[in-house]
Amino acid sequence: MGSEVSKQIQRRKAVSVEKQMLFDLNENCGEIFPGCDYRPTDRKNWMASLGPKDLHINNIVWPGTHNSATDRIGIPCISRPFAQCQTLSVYQQLVLGTRVLDIRVNENNHVCHGILLTYNIDVVINDVKKFLFETTSEVIILEIRTEYGHRDPPEFEDYLEEKLGMYLIHQDDYVFGKTIAELLPKRIICVWKPRNSAQPKPGSPFWSAEYLKDNWIDTDLPSTKFDSNLKYLSDQAPVSSRNFFYRVENTVTAQPDNPVVCVRPVTGRIHGYARLFINRCFAEGCANRLQVFSTDFIGGDFVDACVGLTHARVHGEC
């Protein structure tokens, strides 16, 4: 009993120390980077505003959400605080400027986060289609994976093709060098990551797991996650010379050996440091590697940071 109490005290101290480290780094280094002052006038149509003929797929900094469809997961005030990573619906996220969605499904076509369930995948698909109907030049990376511990939904590729076929950009390495204008009217890069079925093949309407990569660091320590994100990003090739998307997640994850296990207070330890992270990317010489940047509980400032850096790239400012 005494050793467990001592362990909890040490864990709390470690969290406190690392929160202070990020705070101090932000105070000393700031949040300045090329494009940091840019604010899109219309987040819903920010790609259209930057110019589809000027936006190359591999040059975009894509604002994304982690566990995108968890706004109504679980039971409010009971299980929801342990699994909810977004409060906005998928449609609301897209209107805010999100362009990468992380969707987890089970064998019954329901969205889930671990063992907790929420609505049917139809809700997500309808939100995506509504957004695409209301816009003309916005491209989305739609990642759908079978959640750990579950089996693939039956005939899922047929379902997706039936619902989204007219929008799907087929798997092709040449897409990364193209502009949005060259891809239109196709507007969804759908990355399908099954657990039991075969991966999508070249030329398929769906993209295999190797086209959206990341290095998941499972920690609730914010400075550890921040530094690890920088390290792994630095190991990547520049966006101009790779044919896959690489994701950095500006999140930390609750750990079972820590008394604080609700998502919001834990991920809040790093949530406010997205602009600092971009600043440090330039300081460390890896800003030309940043591509997909995701977060929990996405807000307008996070979107603006990604769009601002994209604007700077388009105009040759970095």
Side-chain angles (χ1 to χ4, degrees):
M1 181 68 176
S3 62
E4 184 61 30
V5 171
S6 176
K7 180 180 178 182
Q8 292 296 331
I9 292 173
Q10 292 304 313
R11 292 285 289 124
R12 284 174 177 262
K13 285 182 178 178
V15 169
S16 180
V17 167
E18 294 217 4
K19 287 170 65 176
Q20 188 64 46
M21 289 170 65
L22 271 189
F23 178 84
D24 291 344
L25 185 65
N26 195 58
E27 288 291 298
N28 293 329
C29 300
E31 302 176 340
I32 304 301
F33 55 85
C36 64
D37 293 329
Y38 181 81
R39 296 289 190 278
T41 57
D42 180 7
R43 293 191 185 112
K44 184 177 181 179
N45 292 284
W46 67 262
M47 289 182 167
S49 298
L50 292 184
K53 293 182 179 179
D54 298 318
L55 273 180
H56 286 81
I57 293 298
N58 61 3
N59 215 25
I60 297 168
V61 181
W62 302 73
T65 49
H66 168 240
N67 266 306
S68 306
T70 53
D71 54 304
R72 288 188 274 154
I73 199 162
I75 303 171
C77 301
I78 298 176
S79 57
R80 184 169 296 173
F82 304 105
Q84 184 185 55
C85 299
Q86 309 296 330
T87 55
L88 301 177
S89 70
V90 165
Y91 172 75
Q92 290 170 328
Q93 291 172 44
L94 292 169
V95 170
L96 185 67
T98 301
R99 293 297 177 267
V100 182
L101 299 172
D102 161 23
I103 309 297
R104 326 288 180 86
V105 295
N106 70 5
E107 55 274 13
N108 296 316
N109 279 9
H110 277 84
V111 176
C112 56
H113 184 186
I115 62 172
L116 295 180
L117 306 180
T118 182
Y119 37 70
N120 191 283
I121 188 64
D122 282 341
V123 175
V124 173
I125 299 302
N126 290 338
D127 274 7
V128 168
K129 291 173 72 173
K130 178 181 179 182
F131 173 76
L132 293 177
F133 179 78
E134 293 174 354
T135 57
T136 59
S137 304
E138 306 306 301
V139 172
I140 299 168
I141 300 174
L142 174 61
E143 178 196 30
I144 307 180
R145 73 178 84 172
T146 303
E147 180 66 304
Y148 178 78
H150 294 278
R151 296 186 63 80
D152 301 335
E155 301 177 352
F156 197 60
E157 287 191 15
D158 293 340
Y159 163 82
L160 290 175
E161 192 162 10
E162 177 187 347
K163 296 290 185 179
L164 300 173
M166 65 182 291
Y167 297 112
L168 294 174
I169 299 167
H170 286 220
Q171 184 184 144
D172 184 349
D173 286 358
Y174 289 107
V175 164
F176 292 93
K178 292 184 177 181
T179 64
I180 286 179
E182 291 174 306
L183 297 177
L184 295 175
K186 306 294 187 180
R187 298 168 60 195
I188 300 176
I189 296 173
C190 185
V191 180
W192 165 226
K193 298 181 176 180
R195 288 197 176 271
N196 316 115
S197 312
Q199 289 284 324
K201 293 181 171 54
S204 163
F206 309 102
W207 297 65
S208 60
E210 66 185 19
Y211 284 102
L212 179 54
K213 302 179 182 180
D214 53 39
N215 290 99
W216 177 249
I217 304 105
D218 187 16
T219 180
D220 63 354
L221 298 174
S223 186
T224 295
K225 181 63 176 286
F226 189 96
D227 292 343
S228 297
N229 279 342
L230 275 174
K231 174 189 177 298
Y232 285 118
L233 182 63
S234 297
D235 291 341
Q236 306 305 312
V239 295
S240 59
S241 60
R242 67 175 189 245
N243 291 331
F244 63 88
F245 297 102
Y246 182 78
R247 173 170 51 203
V248 173
E249 294 197 303
N250 189 57
T251 63
V252 287
T253 310
Q255 300 297 308
D257 64 346
N258 193 291
V260 182
V261 292
C262 295
V263 174
R264 187 181 285 275
V266 173
T267 200
R269 298 167 187 166
I270 198 172
H271 187 266
Y273 296 110
R275 288 180 176 269
L276 172 65
F277 183 80
I278 298 175
N279 170 283
R280 292 293 84 201
C281 286
F282 279 95
E284 299 292 331
C286 60
N288 63 345
R289 293 155 170 76
L290 186 59
Q291 191 172 42
V292 176
F293 199 23
S294 293
T295 190
D296 291 324
F297 303 108
I298 195 166
D301 188 67
F302 184 89
V303 171
D304 291 353
C306 296
V307 177
L309 181 52
T310 302
H311 179 269
R313 286 179 175 180
V314 168
H315 291 274
E317 298 170 10
C318 59

